[in-house]
Amino acid sequence: MRLPRVLPRSLAGQLFVMQALLVAAVVAGCAVFAYVSGRDQAEETAKRQVRTAALAMAESPSVREAIRAPDPSAALQPYAERVRAETGIAFITIMDPRGVRWTHPTPAEIGRPFIGHTDRALLGETFEETYTGTLGPSIRVVTPVRDEGRVVGLVSAGITVERVSTQVREQLGALALAAGAALALGALGTYVINARLRRHTHGMNARELSRMHDYHAATLHAVREGLLMLDGRRRIALVNDAARELLGLGPEAVGRRVDELELPAALTGALLASGPRVDEVHLTADRVIVVNTSPVVGGEQRGTVVTLRDHTELQALSGELDSERGFSQALRSQAHEAANRLHTVVSLIELGRVEEAVEFATAELELAQVLTDRVVGAVGEPVLAALLLGKAAQANERGVELVLAEDSLIDDGALPESLAARDLVTVLGNLIDNAVDAASEAASGGGAAVPGQRTATRALVTVTARTDGGELLLRVADTGAGIAPDDADEVFRRGWTTRGTGRGLGLALVRQAAYRNGGTVTLDRSEGGGARFTVRLPLTGRAAREVTA
């Protein structure tokens, strides 16, 4: 049999009940304490009052004079009743040393023996006691009346316990009203607080919130996309493992402002922006990431949710795909050109000019074979060799001659496994593409030339690839218009280009790949007046170096 639910299901409801009980317990405790202390205080006040009245009457000369009279009651009874009425105490009894009453609130009790103790008073001591007399239990004081050193009478003044209790009950009524008001106010405050809590917790109980937190933490660690949550002051409120890796953040990142993280300026600007950002590509030191931001419009404080996707490998694959597309276009062009040349050879044979046909075919084969033999002989790394041959074909289609420098030499096996072939393709492929574009534009009269720079008439791109002192040296020089000195510091920034929108990522990727492998990229002027980029990659170790331009 299932027991009925005692507490409410939601966390806010449970807290409300517990807080209401706590407030009630505190108020009840305060009421009990006030009652006990009030009762003690009332008793203490009653004792002081009856002691004062008893001592005042015992010291009164008129009382001593009345005791000497033949009938003390005749003078003492009216006097005692008048004092009792003025002070509000229950009784004042004046008696002889034997305890026979001279005064009493009930006249019938005059002449009868006093009910209580008198021994200590006869010895000259004033004392207090609680005793049950003719008026019921009372708090009383007994003190001696002295005349010329002798005890000639006794005075007892008292207040009934019932009267003290009545006074305490009257005080307790006011206390109960105050306690009720405090309880009501506490319950109202508790209700308001818990209504707010219920709104923020969506009515869930503690177990559900704990389970949600566990799921939340597991999801943050499991998701491969980077997740970053910023508060209204652009401080990191939450960051998962993937975001830490993508942005290179340490364990102390939570609570820091975005502009304190030393991220690239463009990425920092995107994270600080108030509006949403959709699929923006940004470069860090060694990654290409896609950033999406969405402002938080609900809640008390605005913030931003940021998702990060790693497109480093995708961008590299896109570059390889572009190279493959260029290779296929070059092959189609070469196939078309080969068909034209074959028709020429066939036509010469049909015309009976066999020797000229053989000479024409041999010359074309030798021209194509020279570059192939040169590349294969100098570059033992198959990926680099294939890339150079493909880029040479592409350059030839655009009227640009790509040559391999005479001092180029990379033996087979000279490159370590740690140097990824994909990074080599990224570095050399982008540099050659930019050089071919520059040389082609300069040869055709396009592009913006550097002031004072002559225009090249021959479109030439020179590639150097060799090992040099424990480093791999890759150098690409062109006969283009060159790069203005004012742009030398900006050329590696993402988005920098002189060829319209949608460009400007290649050199940024070159610098990123070089940095990722602990290398450097430098820019200067080539012998032909164009730009010359030199990349040095260490063949041993991967310690990062500063990238210079």
Side-chain angles (χ1 to χ4, degrees):
M1 180 178 179
R2 188 174 183 179
L3 296 176
R5 187 184 299 274
V6 178
L7 292 176
R9 182 175 181 273
S10 69
L11 176 62
Q14 293 177 10
L15 288 178
F16 174 74
V17 172
M18 289 187 288
Q19 289 175 354
L21 292 175
L22 179 60
V23 170
V26 171
V27 172
C30 292
V32 171
F33 174 77
Y35 172 76
V36 173
S37 61
R39 185 182 61 186
D40 294 342
Q41 184 177 4
E43 291 179 355
E44 186 64 28
T45 301
K47 290 177 181 179
R48 287 199 303 269
Q49 186 178 5
V50 296
R51 175 183 283 270
T52 301
L55 290 175
M57 296 198 71
E59 296 294 333
S60 174
S62 59
V63 172
R64 289 195 292 270
E65 184 178 351
I67 291 175
R68 297 190 197 102
D71 185 9
S73 294
L76 294 178
Q77 175 67 8
Y79 177 63
E81 286 300 298
R82 186 173 64 254
V83 174
R84 183 180 69 83
E86 291 175 354
T87 57
I89 60 180
F91 66 89
I92 296 177
T93 299
I94 303 174
M95 68 199 84
D96 63 16
R98 296 174 300 171
V100 178
R101 300 187 185 102
W102 285 326
T103 65
H104 195 274
T106 305
E109 297 294 330
I110 295 174
R112 294 182 179 180
F114 175 74
I115 301 175
H117 300 95
T118 60
D119 298 341
R120 293 165 62 185
L122 292 174
L123 296 176
E125 179 183 354
T126 300
F127 67 94
E128 302 167 357
E129 68 174 353
T130 300
Y131 201 84
T132 303
T134 58
L135 301 179
S138 61
I139 300 172
R140 60 181 63 179
V141 171
V142 182
T143 185
V145 179
R146 294 182 177 87
D147 188 7
E148 296 180 357
R150 294 182 302 107
V151 176
V152 296
L154 304 173
V155 178
S156 176
I159 294 179
T160 61
V161 174
E162 177 63 26
R163 180 176 295 184
V164 174
S165 299
T166 300
Q167 294 176 354
V168 173
R169 282 195 297 270
E170 292 175 354
Q171 295 176 356
L172 186 60
L175 179 63
L177 291 177
L183 181 60
L185 184 61
L188 179 61
T190 301
Y191 175 79
V192 172
I193 293 173
N194 283 276
R196 183 184 182 91
L197 179 62
R198 186 182 301 108
R199 185 170 62 253
H200 287 299
T201 59
H202 302 285
M204 291 184 290
N205 60 26
R207 180 175 298 179
E208 290 171 337
L209 288 173
S210 177
R211 184 166 61 248
M212 177 175 289
H213 176 270
D214 293 339
Y215 290 156
H216 171 77
T219 301
L220 286 178
H221 288 290
V223 68
R224 295 188 63 185
E225 284 193 352
L227 180 62
L228 197 67
M229 294 187 182
L230 309 178
D231 62 16
R233 301 171 68 179
R234 294 301 186 268
R235 295 175 303 188
I236 296 180
L238 184 145
V239 57
N240 69 346
D241 297 341
R244 289 183 187 274
E245 182 179 356
L246 290 175
L247 299 180
L249 303 179
E252 73 287 349
V254 176
R256 297 180 61 188
R257 285 181 50 85
V258 171
D259 51 9
E260 298 175 354
L261 300 178
E262 298 182 356
L263 298 175
L267 179 56
T268 300
L271 297 180
L272 292 176
S274 57
R277 299 296 180 97
V278 179
D279 291 341
E280 286 192 359
V281 178
H282 291 272
L283 286 134
T284 64
D286 57 355
R287 293 183 184 275
V288 179
I289 59 177
V290 177
V291 178
N292 286 273
T293 66
S294 177
V296 178
V297 296
E300 297 181 353
Q301 192 174 23
R302 295 173 61 90
T304 305
V305 176
V306 182
T307 59
L308 309 169
R309 298 198 307 273
D310 188 0
H311 273 219
T312 305
E313 295 185 0
L314 180 60
Q315 191 65 48
L317 291 174
S318 298
E320 292 183 13
L321 179 60
D322 291 339
S323 297
E324 294 296 336
R325 186 180 293 114
F327 295 159
S328 63
Q329 292 174 354
L331 289 175
R332 283 197 300 269
S333 299
Q334 288 182 351
H336 181 72
E337 186 66 19
N340 291 335
R341 292 168 181 168
L342 181 60
H343 290 159
T344 302
V345 172
V346 171
S347 297
L348 288 173
I349 294 175
E350 290 177 346
L351 293 174
R353 307 180 72 167
V354 177
E355 293 183 0
E356 294 181 7
V358 172
E359 182 179 353
F360 178 80
T362 303
E364 290 296 327
L365 289 175
E366 288 179 352
L367 183 62
Q369 192 64 32
V370 167
L371 180 61
T372 301
D373 292 343
R374 177 77 184 91
V375 171
V376 173
V379 181
E381 173 57 43
V383 173
L384 288 180
L387 177 66
L388 289 171
L389 291 175
K391 292 298 182 182
Q394 287 181 331
N396 185 60
E397 290 299 320
R398 299 184 59 182
V400 177
E401 182 182 358
L402 189 150
V403 299
L404 188 65
E406 293 296 331
D407 58 346
S408 297
L409 180 62
I410 300 177
D411 295 329
D412 188 15
L415 303 184
E417 295 182 359
S418 60
L419 191 57
R422 179 173 297 169
D423 288 341
L424 296 179
V425 171
T426 297
V427 171
L428 196 55
N430 281 290
L431 291 179
I432 292 176
D433 287 342
N434 287 344
V436 170
D437 288 341
S440 176
E441 289 179 3
S444 61
V450 176
Q453 173 65 45
R454 65 179 178 83
T455 301
T457 58
R458 180 189 179 194
L460 178 65
V461 173
T462 304
V463 178
T464 303
R466 70 171 187 266
T467 54
D468 183 22
E471 294 180 324
L472 172 63
L473 184 146
L474 301 176
R475 178 176 293 150
V476 178
D478 61 66
T479 57
I483 297 175
D486 293 341
D487 295 330
D489 294 332
E490 296 292 323
V491 67
F492 295 103
R493 178 177 54 83
R494 174 188 174 272
W496 187 93
T497 182
T498 60
R499 300 183 179 90
T501 60
R503 306 290 296 273
L505 189 60
L507 290 177
L509 291 175
V510 169
R511 182 178 67 171
Q512 187 184 83
Y515 181 87
R516 186 164 53 245
N517 290 276
T520 61
V521 182
T522 57
L523 167 64
D524 58 5
R525 179 172 294 181
S526 68
E527 295 179 357
R532 181 173 65 178
F533 291 88
T534 302
V535 179
R536 294 181 180 273
L537 303 176
L539 298 179
T540 57
R542 296 175 60 87
R545 303 177 182 177
E546 289 295 330
V547 178
T548 59

